[in-house]
Amino acid sequence: MTKWVYTFGDGQAEGNSGLKNLLGGKGANLAEMCNLGLPVPPGFTISTEVCTAFYENDRRYPLDLAAQVDAALRHVGTLTGRIFGDASNPLLVSVRSGARASMPGMMDTVLNLGLNDVTVEAMASLASNPRFAWDSYRRFITMYSNVVLDLDHHNFEDILEEFKDSKGFTLDTELSAEDWKQIVGAYKNCVQEKLGRPFPQDPHEQLWGAIGAVFGSWMNARAIKYRELHSIPESWGTAVNVQAMVFGNMGETSATGVAFTRNPSNGAKELYGEFLLNAQGEDVVAGIRTPQDITEAARIAAGSTKPSLEMSLPEAYAELVRIYGLLEKHYRDMQDLEFTVQQGKLWMLQTRNGKRTAKAALRIAVDLANEGLITREEAIQRIDPAALDQLLHPTIDPNATRVVLSTGLPASPGAATGAIVFTSEEAEQAVKEKRKVILVRVETSPEDIHGMHAAEGILTTRGGMTSHAAVVARGMGKPCVSGAGAIRIDMVSGTMTAGGRVLKRGDFITIDGSNGQVLLGEIAMLQPELSGEFGTLMGWADAFRRLRIRTNAETPLDARTAVKFGAEGIGLCRTEHMFFDGDRIIAMREMILADDEKGRRTALDKLLPMQRSDFVELFEIMRGLPVTIRLLDPPLHEFLPHEAREIQEVAEAMGTNAEKLRLRALELKESNPMLGFRGCRLAVAYPEIAEMQARAIFEAAIEAGRKSGAPVTPEIMVPLVMTKAELDLVKARIDAMAKMVGEEQGVELNYSVGTMIELPRAALKAGDIAKSAEFFSFGTNDLTQTTLGISRDDAGSFLGSYKARNILTEDPFVTLDQEGVGELVQLAAERGRRTRPDIKLGLCGEHGGDPASIAFCESVGLDYVSCSPFRVPIARLAAAQAALGKVTKAEG
Ligand code: ADP
Ligand code: MG
Ligand code: MG
């Protein structure tokens, strides 16, 4: 007989936290808390295997399930001293879904199940509190009707509003038992009217209805979409937790709340959270009443006048403090807790590893390691490199003038600027048009996820620090200000009113998720730094990684940023980027359009001093770190003048006739420039270009070396090589130039010459090419284009369909196609090394900043990766994780 049901309660459980696959995250952790002896209301978990069996069997339950559920219910009844469905001493339960990974889209929890017209009276007399009993019943009818019977919330909200209006009640009026009783009557009538049948009175029918709804919700559209987005297999299934109710709505000594064992925004070691007195379930996150702070310190910091849990329920608070310390030690990570206090006694209802911002993740990992709870290796492994991105974005310049429109809660840190949009659809549309937007909503729901993804930041007028918007934004690393209650949104006119101003859709605002401010207009931002825990963790990562991290940079600003972020050299300096500025483009065009070598040399002589001074500055910034300079690579086509004015400009500089130039430009147009006259083909046809660049590099190296005292060893890289002969030809010119410059200046030059491997033929012939190349740098952007035969600039029109049909799971220009392009990289690395064992191997495509691709580079033993300056910290961490991953595997 298969065991489908696992009980927990009273200091013991049939499950534990190791059984997440079987019991779901919530069920496994409830069991674990019981095993730890914590106060958890008893209950049982129906395993995920039931869900799987249910769908494999035409939506029928396993035959012996009902008996196992009945037995478990009796067990819970014994532990609580109550009986499910009993008229005088009824057991009430909650029914809670719980997949392996927390999954929005699943059925909402139903509380107070087991109430009906008879048991409600029993509850009222047992608790000597009729108000509590009727409050619970009206909640139950609302929740059950909504999630099981599919009747929208608003039906019940309308009835409640009407009732209050008819009585002349204000927002703050407390409803009495008699009031709730009348409302319950109206609710039941509503169900009868809408569904043509009464609200179910039989507790067993209620229970199976709720269980069925949980399993049913596994296949609802929202859940399916979520699984698709997060690659969760359908076969996992969800579990159902049935648990004895405890009541936070029993009066002023009862409460319900949520807490984090550390601050999820900044990682500070403090109990952090919110609660409401005399409340139940999700009241705290629903934003109907403003929640209260848990600790006195937090209350004072927030300037709140509502008492903290610490003051109002000191015993329950002390118990919470004891338990949170214990849970954190046990799970060795920050926990997100849900709890309820019933008449002064604390009950734990959930624990899980808490979601956090990247900033908090760093601080928590470093603190836990320093506290000895985890090792430094674990601290490194716990940070998602991609999430660091949010710390590497600008923050608001403290010296900028701020016109504060309103202040809400600092729900997710970072600053963002954009045009106002009021719906997720507008946000998505704007991103397609490359416009930056802030999504402004009263509150968000799971339907807004796509809009939140698209927006730069999120602003809500309702909801607290644990509202949907706040939690989801933190997970996404998006700046968010929530609960900015003074802002009025008018969807009809497409305006928002704040700080006495009316702003329209499309007007610019800035939000500061670190202090909750909503500011008028676009505001100056500051560049980020690696300080505090970020710096510490990076230092730890450096101690574990083998791969070196270089950067792709040609401007002094980029080079300085990269060095600040820890770059250990330049892996790719694209010289052509230096030719577009100001007068340079004119000299460049002169060079291209000249009809003979003499004309080209005249133009090159103008470029030489500019190029040389660029290199001097770059070498000085890099202070002796390796710098790889790539010779001119792009199709000449890209530099051609198009407009008559541009042609005229060049003609004047050359002292020739514009018409002649126009014809020459036409001649040079190419139909497929990416596979045309570019790369080393330029140097083969016009060796004087390579000579000028080599001279500029060598002269700059000597000058920078003298100035800074740090000798420069430039690495000169020849692009788009397909045969050794091409490389030999260009290398001969470079070597000759080195000799010439060395003699002119009376010094011996140290340098190396290598090549980019970016054509499949070059990868195949790497053994041969390595006879001449002292290093290889894998140019995986071109290598991807040429291996897949896909133009990166044109891939947008069809890559979406490929992803949708699972032909490609990732964009190959973002994450290296390890199977195809990766095989070429591996093969070239092996063949290159066979010829030249000490050949230096690097990778300099976009992939150099992508964690999965970096792991691949580690696995094939490259020496370094090179990425854009802002990705350097991400690469440092990813490289450490890749190295650690390898150690773990080797140890088995
Ligand atoms: P979610 O996954 O959406 O957080 P939960 O199943 O955790 O849903 O339930 C939401 C809230 O309902 C809990 O935080 C808790 O306040 C309340 N709740 C759930 N079960 C019980 C119970 N047995 N007794 C009292 N409150 C409960
Ligand atoms: Mg919820
Ligand atoms: Mg919960």
Side-chain angles (χ1 to χ4, degrees):
M1 191 182 87
T2 316
K3 184 169 176 58
W4 305 111
V5 173
Y6 293 74
T7 60
F8 56 84
D10 232 13
Q12 55 195 25
E14 293 177 325
N16 60 59
S17 66
L19 297 181
K20 291 212 170 67
N21 295 355
L22 188 66
L23 303 180
K26 199 178 285 170
N29 282 333
L30 283 169
E32 187 81 1
M33 284 198 291
C34 274
N35 288 330
L36 289 172
L38 300 184
V40 175
F44 56 90
T45 305
I46 304 175
S47 82
T48 57
E49 286 175 352
V50 175
C51 185
T52 316
F54 179 73
Y55 283 106
E56 277 170 0
N57 267 301
D58 234 359
R59 301 194 178 222
R60 276 189 312 255
Y61 295 120
L63 285 180
D64 41 357
L65 179 67
Q68 292 189 26
V69 166
D70 279 342
L73 263 179
R74 278 195 302 277
H75 177 69
V76 174
T78 312
L79 294 181
T80 53
R82 290 167 183 264
I83 300 161
F84 188 67
D86 193 73
S88 56
N89 187 23
L91 167 69
L92 303 190
V93 296
S94 64
V95 177
R96 320 169 64 184
S97 62
R100 284 194 209 179
S102 136
M103 227 181 89
M106 295 301 299
M107 189 200 84
D108 284 335
T109 296
V110 176
L111 303 178
N112 310 319
L113 188 140
L115 278 176
N116 56 27
D117 297 348
V118 178
T119 53
V120 69
E121 300 287 1
M123 288 307 289
S125 55
L126 280 172
S128 342
N129 185 342
R131 184 187 174 279
F132 141 76
W134 288 98
D135 175 50
S136 301
Y137 196 18
R138 65 95 187 179
R139 288 171 183 272
F140 171 53
I141 297 175
T142 311
M143 282 186 263
Y144 192 91
S145 303
N146 180 43
V147 303
V148 184
L149 305 180
D150 216 15
L151 277 181
D152 200 275
H153 269 298
H154 77 80
N155 290 304
F156 303 100
E157 276 154 23
D158 291 351
I159 292 173
L160 183 56
E161 287 310 310
E162 266 166 43
F163 179 84
K164 285 183 179 170
D165 284 350
S166 73
K167 298 266 176 171
F169 288 173
T170 69
L171 256 180
D172 300 325
T173 313
E174 296 263 346
L175 273 68
S176 66
E178 195 46 46
D179 294 332
W180 286 126
K181 193 170 177 170
Q182 281 185 38
I183 291 165
V184 162
Y187 281 5
K188 286 193 299 178
N189 289 340
C190 170
V191 174
Q192 173 76 53
E193 249 169 56
K194 298 268 171 193
L195 301 181
R197 56 191 152 94
F199 184 83
Q201 290 287 311
D202 173 5
H204 283 93
E205 183 191 338
Q206 293 172 356
L207 180 63
W208 285 100
I211 293 171
V214 174
F215 288 137
S217 70
W218 182 250
M219 288 299 191
N220 75 24
R222 246 173 26 169
I224 290 172
K225 183 83 205 156
Y226 185 87
R227 283 201 294 275
E228 216 177 84
L229 282 172
H230 294 82
S231 329
I232 297 176
E234 189 185 300
S235 62
W236 280 12
T238 181
V240 184
N241 300 290
V242 178
Q243 187 175 26
M245 281 301 299
V246 288
F247 301 97
N249 57 338
M250 270 198 170
E252 295 304 306
T253 56
S254 300
T256 186
V258 295
F260 291 86
T261 60
R262 300 188 187 223
N263 185 313
S265 290
N266 62 26
K269 189 175 176 169
E270 64 195 12
L271 184 57
Y272 174 96
E274 296 168 330
F275 80 103
L276 278 174
L277 281 176
N278 198 12
Q280 209 184 26
E282 310 226 83
D283 289 1
V284 180
V285 290
I288 300 158
R289 280 158 64 191
T290 310
Q292 297 157 245
D293 294 298
I294 295 210
T295 64
E296 196 49 15
R299 183 194 69 77
I300 294 166
S304 161
T305 53
K306 296 192 165 189
S308 62
L309 184 74
E310 188 173 356
M311 296 308 276
S312 44
L313 296 168
E315 277 166 32
Y317 171 77
E319 175 75 340
L320 184 62
V321 168
R322 179 185 76 86
I323 288 173
Y324 103 76
L326 196 143
L327 282 175
E328 206 178 66
K329 280 217 176 64
H330 183 73
Y331 284 97
R332 305 192 315 134
D333 200 359
M334 182 260 262
Q335 296 297 295
D336 170 355
L337 313 170
E338 295 175 8
F339 65 88
T340 282
V341 181
Q342 177 178 325
Q343 298 183 308
K345 177 168 168 57
L346 178 81
W347 292 94
M348 298 306 298
L349 292 168
Q350 192 167 342
T351 190
R352 63 185 150 190
N353 293 342
K355 288 209 180 3
R356 63 206 78 180
T357 63
K359 186 177 168 176
L362 283 166
R363 170 140 183 212
I364 291 169
V366 168
D367 283 355
L368 288 176
N370 285 338
E371 289 163 25
L373 277 178
I374 60 174
T375 62
R376 287 187 178 181
E377 288 92 322
E378 285 174 298
I380 290 166
Q381 302 274 34
R382 280 197 185 175
I383 309 294
D384 172 12
L388 296 180
D389 206 27
Q390 57 178 281
L391 299 178
L392 296 167
H393 283 306
T395 47
I396 293 179
D397 181 348
N399 298 319
T401 356
R402 295 178 177 229
V403 180
V404 180
L405 294 171
S406 183
T407 303
L409 298 169
S412 179
T417 280
I420 298 171
V421 295
F422 294 110
T423 65
S424 290
E425 288 63 40
E426 289 172 75
E428 270 203 318
Q429 185 54 35
V431 163
K432 284 197 191 120
E433 296 160 11
K434 301 229 182 319
R435 289 184 293 120
K436 296 186 165 178
V437 296
I438 304 287
L439 179 62
V440 182
R441 308 277 290 158
V442 173
E443 58 197 342
T444 61
S445 72
E447 281 86 43
D448 287 313
I449 301 277
H450 64 114
M452 296 175 76
H453 257 299
E456 298 291 307
I458 298 115
L459 167 63
T460 69
T461 60
R462 217 191 275 165
M465 292 294 287
T466 48
S467 64
H468 178 267
V471 172
V472 173
R474 282 200 291 272
M476 288 181 181
K478 295 264 169 173
C480 174
V481 171
S482 69
I487 296 180
R488 287 277 158 274
I489 297 176
D490 184 346
M491 293 289 282
V492 180
S493 62
T495 58
M496 90 179 208
T497 312
R501 291 171 204 255
V502 180
L503 299 174
K504 295 186 304 297
R505 168 183 290 125
D507 286 349
F508 272 83
I509 53 169
T510 297
I511 59 169
D512 187 343
S514 325
N515 65 10
Q517 287 182 345
V518 183
L519 307 149
L520 185 66
E522 280 178 288
I523 299 186
M525 302 272 174
L526 270 197
Q527 297 306 316
E529 310 225 7
L530 291 193
S531 51
E533 290 79 22
F534 198 171
T536 305
L537 195 101
M538 282 293 130
W540 293 354
D542 290 347
F544 289 103
R545 76 180 150 88
R546 184 195 61 80
L547 274 171
R548 306 252 116 196
I549 311 299
R550 296 198 194 180
T551 191
N552 301 347
E554 40 277 331
T555 67
L557 176 68
D558 277 356
R560 281 200 192 94
T561 307
V563 168
K564 200 175 75 182
F565 286 157
E568 297 165 298
I570 290 180
L572 176 63
C573 167
R574 290 158 290 209
T575 48
E576 59 273 12
H577 285 205
M578 300 168 161
F579 291 134
F580 282 105
D581 290 349
D583 291 347
R584 298 178 176 201
I585 185 75
I586 301 178
M588 185 67 187
R589 286 173 174 160
E590 255 183 86
M591 195 273 294
I592 297 171
L593 297 172
D595 20 43
D596 55 9
E597 185 182 330
K598 187 163 160 287
R600 273 193 299 277
R601 286 203 185 267
T602 312
L604 286 166
D605 284 346
K606 294 186 194 170
L607 288 171
L608 174 66
M610 306 180 200
Q611 180 108 85
R612 182 174 53 220
S613 69
D614 287 341
F615 291 146
V616 171
E617 195 172 0
L618 216 51
F619 288 145
E620 282 187 285
I621 294 169
M622 299 312 290
R623 303 200 142 271
L625 291 172
V627 177
T628 306
I629 297 172
R630 180 177 71 187
L631 298 182
L632 194 63
D633 176 47
L636 286 188
H637 174 96
E638 283 186 10
F639 294 96
L640 291 178
H642 305 290
E643 294 163 30
R645 183 185 52 79
E646 290 172 337
I647 296 180
Q648 186 58 37
E649 236 173 33
V650 184
E652 274 165 29
M654 292 172 75
T656 62
N657 135 344
E659 180 53 19
K660 204 184 107 192
L661 268 193
R662 198 183 60 81
L663 292 176
R664 171 93 176 116
L666 267 183
E667 227 173 82
L668 285 170
K669 275 226 161 97
E670 293 182 299
S671 46
N672 206 345
M674 287 315 286
L675 298 176
F677 192 20
R678 58 166 293 209
C680 68
R681 298 161 199 173
L682 298 169
V684 169
Y686 302 153
E688 54 279 6
I689 301 180
E691 283 177 5
M692 181 281 284
Q693 293 202 290
R695 177 176 278 280
I697 293 168
F698 292 134
E699 290 179 354
I702 295 170
E703 188 179 334
R706 277 192 193 126
K707 277 193 190 161
S708 67
V712 180
T713 309
E715 300 171 348
I716 301 177
M717 180 154 78
V718 182
L720 213 76
V721 159
M722 58 182 178
T723 70
K724 173 172 172 291
E726 286 171 303
L727 177 60
D728 285 342
L729 204 141
V730 182
K731 188 172 184 306
R733 297 284 180 149
I734 296 170
D735 289 340
M737 185 54 73
K739 203 160 160 248
M740 193 188 299
V741 173
E743 276 165 16
E744 283 166 14
Q745 306 219 15
V747 292
E748 184 142 344
L749 276 159
N750 271 325
Y751 66 97
S752 58
V753 177
T755 178
M756 277 182 101
I757 302 288
E758 47 192 336
L759 294 175
R761 191 183 194 284
L764 294 168
K765 301 309 291 175
D768 202 26
I769 293 171
K771 288 182 192 148
S772 303
E774 289 163 277
F775 62 85
F776 287 165
S777 179
F778 292 97
T780 47
N781 295 346
D782 267 314
L783 190 57
T784 299
Q785 299 203 90
T786 53
T787 302
L788 274 62
I790 294 178
S791 142
R792 177 165 63 159
D793 302 325
D794 304 311
S797 54
F798 56 86
L799 261 190
S801 323
Y802 271 62
K803 281 215 230 165
R805 288 170 180 75
N806 266 328
I807 298 172
L808 291 174
T809 49
E810 308 286 343
D811 178 340
F813 294 103
V814 173
T815 290
L816 193 77
D817 158 39
Q818 294 186 15
E819 274 181 37
V821 179
E823 184 169 349
L824 281 174
V825 170
Q826 186 167 10
L827 172 150
E830 279 165 18
R831 293 185 182 176
R833 280 202 173 113
R834 214 175 296 145
T835 304
R836 188 188 286 269
D838 65 344
I839 191 167
K840 203 190 281 182
L841 301 174
L843 179 147
C844 65
E846 287 296 301
H847 308 99
D850 169 63
S853 311
I854 291 170
F856 171 79
C857 294
E858 171 69 26
S859 74
V860 296
L862 300 192
D863 297 304
Y864 70 87
V865 294
S866 187
C867 57
S868 64
F870 281 94
R871 299 197 74 82
V872 167
I874 296 172
R876 285 164 73 189
L877 179 60
Q881 293 183 344
L884 287 169
K886 229 166 96 176
V887 171
T888 320
K889 246 184 248 155
E891 282 170 353

